[in-house]
Coordinates of all heavy atoms in Angstrom, one line a residue:
M1 N 19.1 -18.7 23.8 CA 19.3 -20.0 24.3 C 18.6 -21.0 23.3 O 17.5 -20.8 22.9 CB 18.7 -20.2 25.7 CG 19.0 -21.5 26.3 SD 18.5 -21.5 28.0 CE 19.7 -22.6 28.6
S2 N 19.2 -22.1 23.0 CA 18.7 -23.1 22.0 C 17.8 -24.0 22.7 O 17.9 -24.4 23.9 CB 19.9 -23.8 21.5 OG 19.5 -24.9 20.7
D3 N 16.7 -24.4 22.0 CA 15.8 -25.4 22.4 C 16.3 -26.9 22.2 O 15.7 -27.8 22.7 CB 14.4 -25.2 21.8 CG 13.8 -23.9 22.2 OD1 13.9 -23.5 23.3 OD2 13.1 -23.3 21.3
G4 N 17.3 -27.0 21.3 CA 17.7 -28.4 20.9 C 18.7 -28.9 22.0 O 19.2 -28.2 22.8
P5 N 19.0 -30.2 21.8 CA 19.9 -30.9 22.7 C 21.3 -30.4 22.5 O 21.7 -30.1 21.3 CB 19.7 -32.4 22.5 CG 19.2 -32.4 21.1 CD 18.4 -31.2 20.9
I6 N 22.1 -30.4 23.5 CA 23.5 -30.1 23.3 C 24.4 -31.3 23.6 O 24.2 -32.0 24.7 CB 23.9 -28.9 24.3 CG1 23.1 -27.7 24.0 CG2 25.4 -28.7 24.3 CD1 23.3 -26.5 25.0
A7 N 25.3 -31.6 22.7 CA 26.2 -32.8 22.9 C 27.6 -32.3 23.3 O 28.1 -31.4 22.7 CB 26.3 -33.6 21.7
T8 N 28.1 -32.8 24.4 CA 29.4 -32.5 24.8 C 30.3 -33.7 25.0 O 29.7 -34.8 25.3 CB 29.4 -31.6 26.1 OG1 28.9 -32.4 27.1 CG2 28.7 -30.3 25.9
T9 N 31.6 -33.5 24.9 CA 32.5 -34.6 25.2 C 33.8 -34.0 25.7 O 34.1 -32.9 25.4 CB 32.7 -35.5 24.0 OG1 33.5 -36.7 24.4 CG2 33.5 -34.8 22.9
R10 N 34.5 -34.8 26.5 CA 35.7 -34.3 27.0 C 36.8 -35.3 26.6 O 36.8 -36.4 26.9 CB 35.7 -34.2 28.6 CG 36.9 -33.7 29.2 CD 36.7 -33.5 30.7 NE 38.0 -33.6 31.3 CZ 38.3 -34.4 32.3 NH1 37.4 -35.2 32.9 NH2 39.5 -34.4 32.8
L11 N 37.8 -34.8 25.9 CA 38.9 -35.6 25.5 C 40.2 -34.9 26.0 O 40.4 -33.7 25.8 CB 39.0 -35.6 23.9 CG 38.1 -36.5 23.2 CD1 38.3 -36.3 21.7 CD2 38.2 -37.9 23.6
L12 N 41.0 -35.7 26.6 CA 42.3 -35.2 27.1 C 43.4 -35.8 26.1 O 43.2 -36.8 25.5 CB 42.6 -35.7 28.5 CG 41.6 -35.3 29.5 CD1 41.9 -35.9 30.9 CD2 41.6 -33.8 29.7
S13 N 44.4 -35.0 26.0 CA 45.5 -35.4 25.0 C 46.0 -36.9 25.3 O 46.1 -37.7 24.4 CB 46.7 -34.5 25.1 OG 47.7 -34.9 24.3
G14 N 46.1 -37.2 26.6 CA 46.6 -38.5 27.0 C 45.6 -39.6 26.6 O 45.9 -40.7 26.1
D15 N 44.3 -39.3 26.7 CA 43.2 -40.2 26.3 C 43.3 -40.5 24.8 O 43.2 -41.7 24.4 CB 41.8 -39.6 26.5 CG 41.5 -39.4 28.0 OD1 42.2 -40.0 28.8 OD2 40.7 -38.5 28.3
V16 N 43.5 -39.5 24.0 CA 43.6 -39.7 22.5 C 44.8 -40.5 22.1 O 44.7 -41.4 21.3 CB 43.6 -38.3 21.8 CG1 43.9 -38.5 20.3 CG2 42.3 -37.6 22.0
H17 N 45.9 -40.3 22.8 CA 47.1 -41.1 22.4 C 47.0 -42.5 23.0 O 47.6 -43.4 22.4 CB 48.4 -40.4 23.0 CG 48.8 -39.2 22.3 ND1 49.3 -39.2 21.0 CD2 48.6 -37.9 22.6 CE1 49.5 -38.0 20.6 NE2 49.1 -37.2 21.5
A18 N 46.3 -42.8 24.0 CA 46.2 -44.1 24.6 C 45.1 -44.9 24.1 O 45.0 -46.1 24.3 CB 46.1 -44.0 26.1
E19 N 44.1 -44.3 23.4 CA 42.9 -45.0 22.9 C 43.3 -46.1 22.0 O 44.1 -46.1 21.1 CB 42.1 -44.0 22.2 CG 40.7 -44.5 21.7 CD 39.8 -44.7 22.9 OE1 39.8 -43.9 23.8 OE2 39.0 -45.6 22.8
T20 N 42.6 -47.3 22.3 CA 42.8 -48.5 21.4 C 42.0 -48.3 20.1 O 40.9 -47.9 20.1 CB 42.3 -49.7 22.1 OG1 43.0 -49.9 23.3 CG2 42.4 -51.0 21.3
V21 N 42.7 -48.5 19.0 CA 42.0 -48.4 17.7 C 42.0 -49.7 17.0 O 43.1 -50.4 16.9 CB 42.8 -47.3 16.9 CG1 42.1 -47.2 15.5 CG2 42.9 -46.0 17.6
E22 N 40.8 -50.2 16.7 CA 40.7 -51.5 16.1 C 40.8 -51.5 14.5 O 40.4 -50.5 13.9 CB 39.3 -52.1 16.4 CG 39.2 -52.3 17.9 CD 40.2 -53.3 18.5 OE1 40.5 -54.3 17.9 OE2 40.6 -53.1 19.7
P23 N 41.4 -52.5 13.9 CA 41.5 -52.6 12.5 C 40.1 -52.4 11.8 O 39.1 -52.9 12.3 CB 42.0 -54.0 12.2 CG 42.7 -54.4 13.4 CD 41.9 -53.7 14.5
D24 N 40.0 -51.5 10.7 CA 38.7 -51.3 10.1 C 38.5 -52.0 8.8 O 37.4 -52.0 8.3 CB 38.5 -49.8 10.0 CG 39.5 -49.1 9.1 OD1 40.2 -49.8 8.3 OD2 39.6 -47.9 9.2
G25 N 39.6 -52.6 8.2 CA 39.4 -53.3 7.0 C 39.0 -52.5 5.8 O 38.6 -53.0 4.7
V26 N 39.2 -51.2 5.8 CA 38.8 -50.3 4.7 C 39.8 -50.4 3.6 O 39.4 -50.4 2.4 CB 38.7 -48.8 5.2 CG1 38.6 -47.9 4.0 CG2 37.6 -48.7 6.2
S27 N 41.1 -50.6 3.8 CA 42.1 -50.6 2.8 C 42.8 -51.9 2.8 O 43.2 -52.5 3.8 CB 43.1 -49.5 3.0 OG 44.2 -49.6 2.1
E28 N 42.9 -52.5 1.6 CA 43.7 -53.7 1.4 C 45.2 -53.4 1.2 O 46.0 -54.2 1.5 CB 43.2 -54.5 0.2 CG 41.8 -55.0 0.4 CD 41.3 -55.8 -0.8 OE1 42.1 -56.2 -1.6 OE2 40.1 -56.0 -0.8
A29 N 45.5 -52.2 0.8 CA 46.9 -51.9 0.5 C 47.6 -51.3 1.7 O 48.9 -51.3 1.8 CB 47.0 -50.8 -0.7
L30 N 46.9 -50.8 2.7 CA 47.5 -50.1 3.8 C 46.7 -50.6 5.1 O 45.5 -50.7 5.1 CB 47.2 -48.6 3.6 CG 47.9 -47.7 4.5 CD1 49.4 -47.7 4.3 CD2 47.4 -46.3 4.2
S31 N 47.5 -51.0 6.1 CA 46.9 -51.4 7.4 C 46.3 -50.2 8.0 O 47.0 -49.3 8.5 CB 48.0 -52.0 8.2 OG 47.5 -52.3 9.5
T32 N 44.9 -50.2 8.1 CA 44.2 -49.0 8.8 C 43.4 -49.5 9.9 O 42.9 -50.6 10.0 CB 43.4 -48.3 7.7 OG1 42.3 -49.2 7.3 CG2 44.2 -47.8 6.6
S33 N 43.2 -48.5 10.9 CA 42.3 -48.7 12.0 C 41.6 -47.5 12.3 O 42.1 -46.4 12.0 CB 43.2 -49.1 13.3 OG 44.0 -50.2 13.0
S34 N 40.4 -47.6 12.8 CA 39.6 -46.4 13.2 C 38.7 -46.7 14.4 O 38.3 -47.8 14.6 CB 38.9 -45.8 12.0 OG 37.9 -46.7 11.6
R35 N 38.3 -45.6 15.1 CA 37.4 -45.7 16.2 C 36.6 -44.4 16.3 O 37.3 -43.3 16.5 CB 38.1 -46.0 17.5 CG 37.1 -46.0 18.6 CD 37.5 -46.9 19.7 NE 36.4 -47.1 20.6 CZ 36.5 -47.0 21.9 NH1 37.7 -46.7 22.5 NH2 35.5 -47.1 22.7
A36 N 35.3 -44.4 16.2 CA 34.5 -43.2 16.4 C 34.5 -42.9 17.9 O 34.3 -43.8 18.7 CB 33.1 -43.4 15.9
L37 N 34.7 -41.6 18.2 CA 34.7 -41.2 19.6 C 33.4 -40.5 19.9 O 32.9 -40.5 21.1 CB 35.9 -40.2 19.9 CG 37.2 -40.8 19.7 CD1 38.3 -39.7 19.8 CD2 37.5 -41.9 20.6
L38 N 32.8 -39.8 18.9 CA 31.5 -39.1 19.1 C 30.8 -39.0 17.8 O 31.4 -38.7 16.8 CB 31.8 -37.7 19.6 CG 30.6 -36.7 19.8 CD1 29.7 -37.1 20.9 CD2 31.1 -35.3 20.0
E39 N 29.5 -39.2 17.8 CA 28.7 -39.1 16.6 C 27.4 -38.3 17.1 O 26.6 -38.8 17.7 CB 28.3 -40.4 16.0 CG 29.5 -41.2 15.5 CD 29.1 -42.5 14.9 OE1 28.0 -42.6 14.2 OE2 29.8 -43.5 15.1
A40 N 27.4 -37.0 16.7 CA 26.3 -36.1 17.0 C 26.2 -35.1 15.9 O 26.5 -33.9 16.1 CB 26.6 -35.5 18.4
G41 N 25.7 -35.5 14.8 CA 25.6 -34.6 13.6 C 26.9 -34.5 12.8 O 26.9 -34.3 11.7
L42 N 28.0 -34.8 13.5 CA 29.3 -35.0 12.9 C 30.0 -36.1 13.6 O 29.6 -36.5 14.7 CB 30.2 -33.7 12.9 CG 30.6 -33.1 14.2 CD1 31.9 -33.6 14.7 CD2 30.7 -31.6 14.0
E43 N 31.0 -36.7 12.9 CA 31.7 -37.7 13.6 C 33.1 -37.3 14.0 O 33.8 -36.6 13.2 CB 31.8 -39.0 12.7 CG 32.6 -40.1 13.3 CD 32.6 -41.4 12.4 OE1 31.6 -41.6 11.7 OE2 33.7 -42.0 12.4
I44 N 33.5 -37.6 15.2 CA 34.9 -37.3 15.6 C 35.5 -38.7 16.0 O 34.9 -39.5 16.6 CB 34.9 -36.4 16.9 CG1 34.3 -35.1 16.6 CG2 36.4 -36.3 17.4 CD1 34.1 -34.3 17.9
G45 N 36.7 -38.9 15.5 CA 37.3 -40.3 15.7 C 38.8 -40.3 15.6 O 39.4 -39.3 15.2
L46 N 39.3 -41.4 15.9 CA 40.8 -41.7 15.7 C 41.0 -42.6 14.5 O 40.2 -43.5 14.3 CB 41.3 -42.4 17.0 CG 41.4 -41.5 18.2 CD1 41.8 -42.5 19.4 CD2 42.3 -40.4 18.1
W47 N 42.1 -42.4 13.8 CA 42.4 -43.2 12.6 C 43.9 -43.4 12.6 O 44.7 -42.5 12.9 CB 42.0 -42.5 11.4 CG 42.2 -43.2 10.1 CD1 41.4 -44.1 9.5 CD2 43.3 -43.0 9.2 NE1 41.9 -44.5 8.3 CE2 43.1 -43.8 8.1 CE3 44.4 -42.2 9.2 CZ2 43.9 -43.9 7.0 CZ3 45.3 -42.3 8.1 CH2 45.1 -43.1 7.0
E48 N 44.3 -44.7 12.3 CA 45.7 -45.0 12.2 C 45.9 -45.7 10.9 O 45.0 -46.5 10.5 CB 46.1 -45.9 13.4 CG 46.2 -45.3 14.7 CD 46.8 -46.3 15.7 OE1 47.0 -47.5 15.4 OE2 46.9 -45.9 16.9
A49 N 47.1 -45.6 10.4 CA 47.4 -46.3 9.1 C 48.9 -46.4 9.0 O 49.7 -45.5 9.4 CB 46.8 -45.7 7.9
G50 N 49.3 -47.4 8.2 CA 50.7 -47.5 7.7 C 51.6 -48.4 8.5 O 51.2 -49.0 9.5
P51 N 52.8 -48.4 8.1 CA 53.3 -47.7 6.9 C 52.9 -48.4 5.6 O 52.4 -49.5 5.6 CB 54.9 -47.8 7.0 CG 55.1 -48.9 8.0 CD 53.9 -49.1 8.9
G52 N 52.9 -47.7 4.5 CA 52.5 -48.2 3.2 C 52.0 -47.1 2.4 O 52.0 -45.9 2.7
T53 N 51.4 -47.5 1.2 CA 50.9 -46.5 0.2 C 49.5 -47.0 -0.2 O 49.2 -48.2 -0.4 CB 51.8 -46.4 -1.0 OG1 53.1 -46.0 -0.6 CG2 51.3 -45.5 -2.0
D54 N 48.6 -46.0 -0.4 CA 47.2 -46.3 -0.8 C 46.6 -45.1 -1.5 O 47.1 -44.0 -1.3 CB 46.3 -46.7 0.4 CG 45.1 -47.4 0.0 OD1 45.0 -47.9 -1.2 OD2 44.2 -47.6 0.8
T55 N 45.6 -45.3 -2.3 CA 44.9 -44.2 -2.9 C 43.5 -44.2 -2.4 O 43.0 -45.2 -1.9 CB 44.8 -44.4 -4.5 OG1 44.2 -45.6 -4.8 CG2 46.2 -44.3 -5.1
D56 N 42.8 -43.0 -2.4 CA 41.5 -42.8 -1.8 C 40.8 -41.7 -2.5 O 41.4 -40.8 -3.2 CB 41.6 -42.5 -0.3 CG 40.4 -42.8 0.5 OD1 39.4 -43.3 -0.1 OD2 40.4 -42.4 1.6
V57 N 39.4 -41.8 -2.5 CA 38.6 -40.6 -2.8 C 38.0 -40.2 -1.5 O 37.3 -40.9 -0.8 CB 37.5 -41.1 -3.8 CG1 36.6 -39.9 -4.1 CG2 38.1 -41.6 -5.1
E58 N 38.2 -38.9 -1.2 CA 37.9 -38.4 0.2 C 36.5 -37.9 0.4 O 35.8 -37.7 -0.6 CB 38.9 -37.2 0.5 CG 40.4 -37.6 0.4 CD 40.8 -38.6 1.3 OE1 40.2 -38.9 2.3 OE2 41.9 -39.2 1.1
V59 N 36.1 -37.8 1.6 CA 34.9 -37.2 2.1 C 35.3 -35.8 2.7 O 36.5 -35.6 3.0 CB 34.1 -38.0 3.1 CG1 33.7 -39.3 2.4 CG2 34.9 -38.3 4.3
D60 N 34.4 -34.9 3.0 CA 34.7 -33.7 3.7 C 35.3 -34.1 5.1 O 34.6 -34.8 5.8 CB 33.5 -32.8 3.9 CG 33.1 -32.1 2.6 OD1 34.0 -31.8 1.8 OD2 31.9 -31.8 2.4
E61 N 36.5 -33.6 5.4 CA 37.1 -34.0 6.6 C 38.1 -33.0 7.1 O 38.8 -32.4 6.2 CB 37.8 -35.4 6.4 CG 38.6 -35.9 7.6 CD 39.3 -37.2 7.4 OE1 38.9 -38.0 6.5 OE2 40.3 -37.4 8.1
L62 N 38.2 -32.8 8.4 CA 39.3 -32.0 9.0 C 40.0 -32.9 9.9 O 39.3 -33.6 10.7 CB 38.6 -30.8 9.7 CG 39.6 -29.9 10.4 CD1 40.4 -29.1 9.4 CD2 38.9 -28.9 11.4
F63 N 41.3 -33.0 9.8 CA 42.1 -33.8 10.7 C 43.3 -33.2 11.2 O 43.9 -32.3 10.6 CB 42.3 -35.2 10.1 CG 43.3 -35.3 9.0 CD1 44.7 -35.4 9.2 CD2 42.9 -35.3 7.7 CE1 45.6 -35.5 8.2 CE2 43.8 -35.4 6.6 CZ 45.2 -35.5 6.9
L64 N 43.8 -33.6 12.4 CA 45.0 -33.2 13.0 C 45.9 -34.4 13.2 O 45.4 -35.4 13.8 CB 44.7 -32.6 14.4 CG 45.9 -32.1 15.2 CD1 46.6 -31.0 14.5 CD2 45.5 -31.7 16.6
V65 N 47.1 -34.4 12.7 CA 48.0 -35.5 12.9 C 48.6 -35.5 14.3 O 49.1 -34.4 14.8 CB 49.2 -35.4 11.8 CG1 50.2 -36.5 12.1 CG2 48.7 -35.4 10.4
L66 N 48.4 -36.6 15.0 CA 48.9 -36.7 16.3 C 50.3 -37.4 16.4 O 51.1 -37.1 17.3 CB 47.9 -37.6 17.2 CG 46.5 -37.0 17.2 CD1 45.6 -38.1 17.9 CD2 46.5 -35.7 18.0
A67 N 50.6 -38.3 15.5 CA 51.8 -39.1 15.5 C 52.1 -39.6 14.1 O 51.2 -39.8 13.3 CB 51.8 -40.2 16.5
G68 N 53.4 -39.9 13.9 CA 53.7 -40.5 12.6 C 54.2 -39.6 11.6 O 54.4 -38.4 11.8
A69 N 54.4 -40.1 10.3 CA 54.9 -39.3 9.3 C 54.5 -39.8 7.9 O 54.3 -41.1 7.8 CB 56.4 -39.2 9.3
G70 N 54.4 -39.0 6.9 CA 54.1 -39.4 5.6 C 53.7 -38.2 4.7 O 54.0 -37.0 5.1
T71 N 53.1 -38.5 3.6 CA 52.7 -37.4 2.6 C 51.4 -37.8 2.1 O 51.1 -39.0 1.7 CB 53.7 -37.3 1.5 OG1 55.0 -37.0 2.1 CG2 53.4 -36.2 0.6
V72 N 50.5 -36.8 1.9 CA 49.3 -37.0 1.1 C 49.4 -36.1 -0.1 O 49.7 -35.0 0.0 CB 48.0 -36.7 1.9 CG1 47.9 -35.3 2.4 CG2 46.8 -37.1 1.1
T73 N 49.3 -36.8 -1.3 CA 49.4 -36.1 -2.6 C 48.1 -36.1 -3.3 O 47.4 -37.1 -3.3 CB 50.5 -36.8 -3.5 OG1 51.7 -36.8 -2.8 CG2 50.7 -36.1 -4.8
F74 N 47.7 -34.9 -3.8 CA 46.4 -34.7 -4.5 C 46.6 -35.0 -6.0 O 47.7 -34.9 -6.5 CB 45.9 -33.3 -4.2 CG 45.6 -33.1 -2.7 CD1 46.6 -32.7 -1.9 CD2 44.3 -33.4 -2.2 CE1 46.3 -32.6 -0.5 CE2 44.1 -33.2 -0.9 CZ 45.1 -32.8 0.0
E75 N 45.5 -35.2 -6.7 CA 45.5 -35.5 -8.1 C 46.2 -34.4 -8.9 O 46.8 -34.7 -9.9 CB 44.0 -35.7 -8.6 CG 43.8 -36.2 -9.9 CD 42.4 -36.5 -10.2 OE1 41.5 -35.7 -9.9 OE2 42.2 -37.6 -10.8
D76 N 46.1 -33.1 -8.4 CA 46.7 -32.0 -9.2 C 48.2 -32.0 -9.0 O 48.9 -31.1 -9.5 CB 46.1 -30.7 -8.8 CG 46.3 -30.3 -7.4 OD1 47.1 -30.9 -6.6 OD2 45.8 -29.2 -7.0
G77 N 48.8 -32.9 -8.2 CA 50.2 -32.9 -7.9 C 50.7 -32.2 -6.6 O 51.8 -32.4 -6.2
S78 N 49.8 -31.4 -6.0 CA 50.1 -30.8 -4.8 C 50.2 -31.8 -3.7 O 49.6 -32.9 -3.7 CB 49.1 -29.7 -4.4 OG 47.8 -30.2 -4.2
S79 N 51.0 -31.5 -2.6 CA 51.1 -32.5 -1.5 C 51.2 -31.8 -0.2 O 51.6 -30.6 -0.1 CB 52.3 -33.4 -1.8 OG 53.5 -32.7 -1.8
I80 N 51.0 -32.5 0.9 CA 51.1 -32.0 2.2 C 51.9 -33.0 3.0 O 51.7 -34.2 3.0 CB 49.7 -31.8 2.9 CG1 48.9 -30.8 2.1 CG2 49.9 -31.4 4.4 CD1 47.5 -30.8 2.6
E81 N 53.0 -32.5 3.7 CA 53.8 -33.4 4.5 C 53.0 -33.6 5.8 O 52.6 -32.6 6.5 CB 55.1 -32.7 4.8 CG 56.1 -33.6 5.7 CD 57.4 -32.9 6.0 OE1 57.8 -32.0 5.2 OE2 58.0 -33.3 7.0
L82 N 52.9 -34.8 6.2 CA 52.1 -35.2 7.4 C 53.1 -35.5 8.6 O 54.0 -36.3 8.4 CB 51.3 -36.4 7.2 CG 50.3 -36.3 6.0 CD1 49.6 -37.6 5.8 CD2 49.2 -35.2 6.3
R83 N 52.9 -34.8 9.7 CA 53.7 -34.9 10.9 C 52.9 -34.4 12.0 O 51.9 -33.7 11.8 CB 55.1 -34.2 10.7 CG 55.0 -32.7 10.6 CD 56.3 -32.1 10.4 NE 56.2 -30.6 10.3 CZ 55.7 -29.9 9.3 NH1 55.2 -30.5 8.3 NH2 55.6 -28.6 9.4
P84 N 53.2 -34.7 13.3 CA 52.4 -34.3 14.4 C 52.2 -32.8 14.4 O 53.2 -32.0 14.1 CB 53.3 -34.7 15.6 CG 54.0 -35.9 15.1 CD 54.3 -35.6 13.7
G85 N 51.0 -32.3 14.6 CA 50.6 -30.9 14.6 C 50.1 -30.4 13.3 O 49.6 -29.3 13.3
V86 N 50.2 -31.1 12.2 CA 49.7 -30.6 11.0 C 48.2 -30.8 10.9 O 47.7 -31.9 11.2 CB 50.4 -31.4 9.8 CG1 49.7 -31.0 8.5 CG2 51.9 -31.0 9.7
L87 N 47.5 -29.7 10.5 CA 46.0 -29.7 10.4 C 45.7 -29.7 8.9 O 46.2 -28.9 8.2 CB 45.5 -28.5 11.1 CG 44.0 -28.3 11.1 CD1 43.3 -29.4 12.0 CD2 43.6 -26.9 11.7
V88 N 44.8 -30.6 8.5 CA 44.5 -30.7 7.0 C 43.0 -30.8 6.8 O 42.3 -31.4 7.6 CB 45.1 -32.1 6.5 CG1 44.7 -32.2 5.0 CG2 46.6 -32.1 6.6
R89 N 42.5 -30.1 5.8 CA 41.1 -30.1 5.4 C 41.1 -30.8 4.0 O 41.7 -30.4 3.1 CB 40.5 -28.8 5.3 CG 39.0 -28.9 4.9 CD 38.3 -27.6 4.9 NE 36.9 -27.8 4.7 CZ 36.3 -27.8 3.5 NH1 37.1 -27.8 2.4 NH2 35.0 -28.0 3.3
L90 N 40.3 -31.9 4.0 CA 40.1 -32.6 2.7 C 38.7 -32.3 2.3 O 37.7 -32.1 3.1 CB 40.2 -34.2 2.9 CG 41.5 -34.7 3.4 CD1 41.4 -36.1 3.8 CD2 42.6 -34.4 2.4
Q91 N 38.5 -32.2 0.9 CA 37.2 -31.9 0.4 C 36.6 -33.2 -0.3 O 37.4 -33.9 -0.9 CB 37.2 -30.8 -0.6 CG 37.7 -29.5 0.1 CD 37.7 -28.3 -0.9 OE1 37.0 -28.3 -1.9 NE2 38.4 -27.3 -0.6
E92 N 35.3 -33.3 -0.2 CA 34.6 -34.5 -0.8 C 35.0 -34.5 -2.3 O 35.0 -33.5 -3.0 CB 33.1 -34.4 -0.7 CG 32.4 -35.6 -1.2 CD 30.9 -35.5 -0.9 OE1 30.5 -34.7 -0.1 OE2 30.2 -36.4 -1.4
G93 N 35.4 -35.7 -2.7 CA 35.8 -36.0 -4.1 C 37.3 -35.8 -4.4 O 37.7 -36.2 -5.4
D94 N 38.1 -35.2 -3.4 CA 39.5 -35.2 -3.6 C 40.1 -36.6 -3.9 O 39.7 -37.5 -3.1 CB 40.2 -34.6 -2.4 CG 40.2 -33.1 -2.2 OD1 39.8 -32.4 -3.2 OD2 40.5 -32.6 -1.1
R95 N 40.9 -36.7 -4.8 CA 41.6 -38.0 -5.1 C 43.0 -37.9 -4.6 O 43.7 -37.0 -5.0 CB 41.6 -38.3 -6.6 CG 40.1 -38.5 -7.1 CD 40.1 -38.9 -8.6 NE 38.8 -39.1 -9.1 CZ 38.1 -40.2 -8.9 NH1 38.6 -41.2 -8.3 NH2 36.8 -40.3 -9.4
T96 N 43.3 -38.8 -3.7 CA 44.6 -38.7 -3.0 C 45.4 -40.0 -3.0 O 44.9 -41.0 -3.2 CB 44.3 -38.3 -1.5 OG1 43.5 -39.3 -0.9 CG2 43.7 -36.9 -1.3
T97 N 46.7 -39.8 -2.8 CA 47.6 -40.9 -2.6 C 48.3 -40.7 -1.3 O 48.9 -39.6 -1.1 CB 48.7 -41.0 -3.7 OG1 48.0 -41.2 -5.0 CG2 49.6 -42.2 -3.5
W98 N 48.2 -41.6 -0.4 CA 48.8 -41.6 0.9 C 50.0 -42.4 0.9 O 50.0 -43.6 0.6 CB 47.8 -42.1 2.0 CG 46.6 -41.2 2.1 CD1 45.5 -41.1 1.3 CD2 46.3 -40.4 3.2 NE1 44.6 -40.3 1.8 CE2 45.0 -39.8 3.0 CE3 46.9 -40.1 4.4 CZ2 44.4 -38.9 3.9 CZ3 46.3 -39.2 5.3 CH2 45.1 -38.6 5.0
E99 N 51.2 -41.8 1.3 CA 52.4 -42.5 1.4 C 52.9 -42.3 2.9 O 53.3 -41.2 3.3 CB 53.5 -42.0 0.5 CG 53.1 -42.2 -1.0 CD 54.2 -41.6 -1.9 OE1 55.4 -41.9 -1.7 OE2 53.8 -41.0 -2.9
I100 N 52.7 -43.4 3.7 CA 52.9 -43.3 5.1 C 54.2 -44.0 5.4 O 54.3 -45.2 5.2 CB 51.7 -43.8 5.9 CG1 50.5 -43.0 5.6 CG2 52.0 -43.8 7.4 CD1 49.2 -43.4 6.2
T101 N 55.2 -43.3 6.0 CA 56.5 -43.8 6.2 C 56.6 -44.3 7.7 O 57.5 -45.1 8.0 CB 57.6 -42.8 5.9 OG1 57.3 -41.6 6.6 CG2 57.6 -42.5 4.4
E102 N 55.8 -43.7 8.6 CA 55.8 -44.1 10.0 C 54.4 -44.1 10.4 O 53.6 -43.1 10.2 CB 56.6 -43.0 10.8 CG 56.7 -43.3 12.3 CD 57.4 -42.1 13.0 OE1 58.4 -41.6 12.4 OE2 57.0 -41.8 14.1
R103 N 53.9 -45.2 11.1 CA 52.5 -45.3 11.4 C 51.9 -44.0 11.8 O 52.4 -43.4 12.8 CB 52.3 -46.4 12.5 CG 50.8 -46.7 12.7 CD 50.6 -48.1 13.0 NE 49.2 -48.4 13.2 CZ 48.4 -48.9 12.2 NH1 48.9 -49.1 11.0 NH2 47.1 -49.2 12.4
L104 N 50.8 -43.6 11.1 CA 50.2 -42.3 11.3 C 49.0 -42.5 12.2 O 48.2 -43.4 12.0 CB 49.8 -41.8 9.9 CG 49.4 -40.3 9.9 CD1 50.6 -39.4 9.9 CD2 48.6 -40.0 8.6
R105 N 48.8 -41.5 13.1 CA 47.6 -41.4 13.9 C 47.1 -40.0 13.8 O 47.8 -39.1 13.9 CB 47.9 -41.8 15.4 CG 46.7 -41.7 16.3 CD 47.0 -42.1 17.7 NE 46.4 -43.5 17.8 CZ 45.9 -44.0 18.9 NH1 45.9 -43.3 20.0 NH2 45.4 -45.2 18.9
K106 N 45.8 -39.9 13.5 CA 45.1 -38.6 13.4 C 43.8 -38.7 14.2 O 43.2 -39.7 14.3 CB 44.9 -38.2 12.0 CG 43.9 -39.1 11.2 CD 43.7 -38.7 9.8 CE 42.7 -39.5 9.1 NZ 42.4 -39.1 7.7
I107 N 43.4 -37.5 14.6 CA 42.0 -37.3 15.1 C 41.3 -36.6 14.0 O 41.8 -35.6 13.4 CB 42.0 -36.6 16.4 CG1 40.5 -36.6 17.0 CG2 42.5 -35.2 16.3 CD1 40.5 -36.2 18.5
Y108 N 40.1 -37.0 13.6 CA 39.3 -36.4 12.5 C 37.9 -36.0 12.9 O 37.3 -36.5 13.8 CB 39.3 -37.5 11.3 CG 38.5 -38.7 11.7 CD1 37.1 -38.7 11.5 CD2 39.0 -39.8 12.1 CE1 36.3 -39.8 11.8 CE2 38.3 -41.0 12.4 CZ 36.9 -40.9 12.2 OH 36.2 -42.0 12.5
L109 N 37.4 -35.1 12.1 CA 36.0 -34.6 12.1 C 35.5 -34.8 10.7 O 36.0 -34.3 9.8 CB 35.9 -33.2 12.5 CG 36.3 -32.9 14.0 CD1 37.7 -32.7 14.1 CD2 35.5 -31.6 14.4
T110 N 34.3 -35.5 10.6 CA 33.7 -35.6 9.3 C 32.2 -35.2 9.4 O 31.7 -35.3 10.5 CB 33.8 -37.0 8.7 OG1 33.2 -38.0 9.6 CG2 35.2 -37.4 8.4

């Protein structure tokens, strides 16, 4: 048994889809929004963006696409099609280009 505190949260699928996400002003090229849901050693949150195109230098992140469509292309030319149900791991320092064709919503862990 651990002596440290335990953090728990309960998220239902409907909660995640209905959650209000406020604009975050991170990107000038792409309309983005985010909202942290839990911060306890790692951050879990919702992020929305698009449609549009933008470039980024990533942090370590795991995300699951909940809605929308697009493509994330890496500096080496490889790409991942983004659609609901796709799980992606980004590594710190990855240079990416996001082309979002339908407003994208993801839940992320960083």
